[in-house]
């Protein structure tokens, strides 16, 4: 646990008692604060009370009297589409609002660092797609290289729930826009921007607000090194804002769509080969084509970002390549779950938006595509580049018929349920085909989350094999 500093003896309200909220309350109390906990859900309140935490009803008129700050869980809207009423009251009464990420960065360096020969460092990864894989890949490579490392944030443990760092340790954080947009402190040593595509637009008031939430990770604290994906205009803009000139190696530009050139620090992948260039000279390369845990161009982008981070942390290209080779992949992200009679089964349930699904379609050929769910803003037009890889689509979800119509000329069968879709895809699959779950949609019409959807897919495949 990372004890929260700066609130000794103060009353701090904690709103939202999920994983991060419970960890936040305990970390506040470990730092000497009095945590006053609330959640509008009775079940969450009961869990907190059973854990020995103090409940404090924020709906009462005098609820914020004597409260020094409100710490809110990232999933609770603090501005768009509408401000949560408890947060709105805190604003009205002049009470600072923060989240666990802000508390983490304000408290992380307050331990026994004066005794460390090599201070611990924080790597923070954000972006629309690939941040989980990039974070997990960095963690894996560092761990395989024998470095002390922890993985937390939007993946793994809550940021305040990690162990106090040891000498030279690296903490790798995956941070969503929900986490970066409100944090009052953001000071990573290395910050990564993978890419940007439309997502969570209602929460951020549009694409500008969404990008602004990501950009805060770089603008608020000024990381020592920034790894920036430059295949979208926003990444180019961000890299341009951070660099003092073309040769500024504090900014490492990353691409999978173009061969980068110039005097700066560059990492790019073309036709499956990763290349690192500094001062106009190639200084490292890796053949990514046969690395099973990193299939497709989207994973090659993740590999480029992870490679760049590991190089800044002192690892050699050979050590990084060895870590890539042993990387098993993350569940629900281009995860090969079975192979039988020449047919490969891939679970990419995390492909909850069009851009992520497109990357999955481009990574494979002869696809029996299981798709559908709660469609997001923007429609499905962005999938057109990958549809030539699709032999047939098997559409799931409560609105499967409407979803199928939006697929245009792709042959599509309305299946509605995962069990039916898997059965139909397996019945029609030929050797060389890939049965791919890449929904291009949210899961909430049928499942609690994308993990449950992916688990259902794996269970259906296992039962049918």
């Amino acid at each position: 646990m990372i004890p929260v500093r700066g609130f000794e003896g103060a009353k701090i309200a904690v709103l939202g008692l999920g994983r991060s909220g419970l960890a936040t309350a305990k970390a506040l109390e470990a730092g000497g604060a009095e945590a006053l906990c609330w959640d509008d859900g009775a079940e969450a309140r009961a869990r907190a009370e059973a854990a020995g935490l103090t409940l404090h009803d924020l709906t009462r008129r005098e609820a914020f009297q004597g409260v020094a700050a409100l710490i809110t869980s990232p999933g609770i809207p603090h501005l768009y589409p509408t401000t949560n009423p408890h947060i709105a009251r805190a604003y009205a009464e002049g009470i600072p609002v923060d989240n666990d990420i802000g508390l983490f960065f304000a408290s992380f360096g307050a331990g026994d660092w004066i005794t460390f020969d090599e201070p611990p460092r924080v790597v923070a990864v954000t972006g629309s797609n690939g941040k989980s894989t990039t974070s997990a890949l960095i963690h894996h490579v560092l761990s395989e290289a024998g470095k002390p490392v922890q993985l937390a944030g939007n993946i793994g443990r809550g940021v305040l729930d990690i162990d106090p760092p040891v000498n030279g340790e690296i903490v790798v954080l995956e941070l969503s826009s929900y986490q970066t947009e409100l944090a009052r402190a953001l000071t990573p040593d290395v910050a990564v921007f993978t890419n940007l595509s439309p997502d969570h637009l209602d929460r951020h008031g549009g694409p500008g607000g969404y990008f602004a939430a990501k950009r805060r990770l770089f603008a608020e604290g000024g990381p020592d090194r920034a790894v920036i994906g430059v295949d979208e205009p926003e990444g180019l803009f961000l890299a341009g804002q951070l660099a003092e000139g073309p040769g500024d190696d504090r900014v490492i530009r990353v691409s999978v769509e173009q061969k980068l050139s110039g005097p700066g620090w560059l990492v790019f992948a073309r036709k499956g080969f990763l290349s690192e260039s500094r001062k106009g000279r190639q200084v490292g390369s890796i053949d990514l084509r046969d690395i099973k845990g990193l299939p497709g161009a989207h994973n090659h982008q993740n590999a480029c970002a992870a490679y760049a981070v590991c190089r800044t942390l002192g690892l050699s290209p050979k050590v990084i390549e060895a870590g890539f080779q042993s990387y098993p992949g993350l569940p629900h992200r281009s995860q090969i779950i079975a192979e039988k009679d020449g047919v490969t089964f891939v679970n990419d349930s995390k492909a909850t938006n069009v851009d992520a699904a497109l990357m999955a379609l481009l990574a494979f050929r002869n696809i029996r595509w299981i798709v559908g769910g709660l469609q997001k803003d923007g429609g499905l037009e962005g999938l057109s580049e990958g549809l030539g890889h699709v032999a047939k689509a098997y559409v799931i979800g409560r609105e499967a018929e409407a979803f199928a119509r939006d697929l245009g000329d792709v042959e599509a069968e309305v299946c509605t349920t995962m069990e039916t879709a898997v059965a139909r895809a397996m019945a029609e699959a030929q050797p060389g085909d890939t049965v791919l779950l890449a929904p291009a949609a949210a899961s909430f019409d049928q499942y609690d989350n994308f993990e449950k959807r992916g688990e259902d897919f794996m269970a259906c495949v296992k039962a049918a094999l």
Side-chain angles (χ1 to χ4, degrees), residues 140-398:
H140 176 80
V141 172
L142 291 170
S143 180
E144 289 292 292
K147 304 292 185 181
V149 59
Q150 297 187 69
L151 180 64
N154 208 39
I155 186 174
R157 301 163 73 178
V159 292
L160 294 171
D161 195 37
I162 67 171
D163 299 327
V166 299
N167 187 61
E169 187 161 27
I170 309 297
V171 176
V172 183
L173 303 181
E174 180 201 339
L175 299 181
S176 71
S177 57
Y178 288 13
Q179 293 170 306
T180 59
E181 68 174 342
L182 188 62
R184 296 171 71 92
L186 286 168
T187 53
D189 297 279
V190 182
V192 181
F193 177 86
T194 59
N195 50 55
L196 196 81
S197 61
D199 209 357
H200 310 304
L201 300 187
D202 58 338
R203 169 66 182 259
H204 298 293
Y210 179 49
F211 175 54
K214 302 286 190 185
R215 181 181 173 276
R216 291 189 76 247
L217 183 62
F218 304 84
E220 295 298 312
D224 295 334
R225 279 254 160 69
V227 177
I228 309 293
V230 295
D231 288 334
E232 292 88 26
E234 293 85 357
L236 278 171
F237 169 80
L238 184 58
Q241 279 204 317
L242 295 173
E244 294 295 331
D248 186 351
D249 67 2
R250 294 174 303 169
V251 177
I252 306 175
R253 291 171 171 83
V254 166
S255 175
V256 289
E257 295 184 1
Q258 57 190 310
K259 179 180 179 180
L260 299 177
S261 61
W265 196 344
L266 313 170
V267 180
F268 60 91
R270 298 282 289 168
K271 298 181 180 179
F273 288 88
L274 180 152
S275 179
E276 176 192 6
S277 173
R278 298 187 72 174
K279 298 181 180 179
R281 295 176 57 250
Q282 180 173 305
V283 295
S285 64
I286 296 177
D287 184 350
L288 301 172
R289 293 174 298 174
D290 296 326
I291 299 178
K292 284 195 171 183
L294 297 168
H298 61 307
N299 275 311
H300 294 174
Q301 182 184 54
N302 301 332
C304 286
Y307 176 95
V309 169
C310 291
R311 290 289 279 147
T312 71
L313 297 174
L315 271 59
S316 71
K318 285 187 177 180
V319 169
I320 297 170
E321 181 176 8
F324 283 3
Q325 291 288 354
S326 63
Y327 177 64
L330 276 178
H332 315 299
R333 297 161 176 86
S334 295
Q335 178 190 13
I336 298 174
I337 61 169
E339 295 178 283
K340 185 177 182 182
D341 299 332
V343 178
T344 302
F345 298 85
V346 179
N347 168 25
D348 202 347
S349 184
K350 184 61 172 67
T352 59
N353 59 42
V354 165
D355 279 13
L358 174 61
M359 293 298 100
L361 294 181
L362 293 173
F364 302 98
R365 298 289 187 274
N366 305 319
I367 297 170
R368 302 283 170 177
W369 182 27
I370 298 177
V371 62
L374 197 61
Q375 194 172 150
K376 295 186 175 181
D377 293 341
L380 302 177
E381 291 182 6
L383 292 166
S384 58
E385 183 184 354
L387 296 182
H389 294 183
V390 177
K392 184 176 177 180
Y394 305 83
V395 189
I396 62 173
R398 293 179 185 172

